[in-house]
């Protein structure tokens, strides 16, 4: 079973047991986090696409680590103007292990009235 999850402005395709790095989420190491913005859920038999979200679907993940990502360098330069600026940035990330993907419960169709019940 797989799901497409939206978190931190990005989308991730995850399976049960996957380890992913997402933008910082609140949660302590070892605790579970529930992601409820699910865009698509599927398995071998069928795929459910949300409009825009799949109602009732949830992904549960365990927080493995809260850390800072690799440093990126932001360098600005204007030639022939002696203008140079160098700045670094480290994004805070949360490392998650997906433990469970739950589909939405199937809706039951309303029971049809029989001719006897309709006559009464």
């Amino acid at each position: 079973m797989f799901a497409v999850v939206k978190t931190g402005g990005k989308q991730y395709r995850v399976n049960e047991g996957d380890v992913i790095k997402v933008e910082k989420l609140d949660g302590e190491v070892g605790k579970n986090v529930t992601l409820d913005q699910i865009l698509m859920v599927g398995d071998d038999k069928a795929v459910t696409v949300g409009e825009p979200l799949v109602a009732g679907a949830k992904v549960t993940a365990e927080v493995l680590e809260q850390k800072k990502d690799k440093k990126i360098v932001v360098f600005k330069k204007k030639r022939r103007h002696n203008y140079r600026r160098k700045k670094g940035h480290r994004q805070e990330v949360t490392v998650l292990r997906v433990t469970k993907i739950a589909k939405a419960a199937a809706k039951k169709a309303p029971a049809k009235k029989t001719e006897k019940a309709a006559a009464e």
Side-chain angles (χ1 to χ4, degrees), residues 6-77:
K6 180 180 172 186
T7 180
K10 299 174 186 71
Q11 298 175 7
Y12 303 90
R13 183 186 189 276
V14 297
N15 294 315
E16 289 185 11
D18 283 356
V19 176
I20 58 171
K21 279 195 309 189
V22 299
E23 286 195 22
K24 182 150 173 52
L25 295 173
D26 292 332
E28 297 177 18
V29 175
K31 301 286 182 176
N32 286 338
V33 175
T34 302
L35 305 171
D36 55 358
Q37 289 192 335
I38 311 302
L39 303 172
M40 183 165 67
V41 176
D43 56 9
D44 296 338
K45 300 171 188 159
V47 175
T48 306
V49 179
E51 300 171 1
L53 302 175
V54 178
K58 291 182 182 176
V59 171
T60 305
E62 177 188 359
V63 177
L64 298 179
E65 194 175 2
Q66 297 278 13
K67 67 177 189 172
K68 285 190 173 184
D69 209 2
K70 291 188 282 187
K71 187 173 211 171
I72 63 165
V73 176
V74 179
F75 186 74
K76 299 179 182 181
K77 179 181 177 171

Side-chain angles (χ1 to χ4, degrees), residues 74-77 82-87:
V74 179
F75 186 74
K76 299 179 182 181
K77 179 181 177 171
N82 196 26
Y83 175 83
R84 292 181 294 275
R85 302 290 182 267
K86 183 177 178 183
K87 210 170 209 183

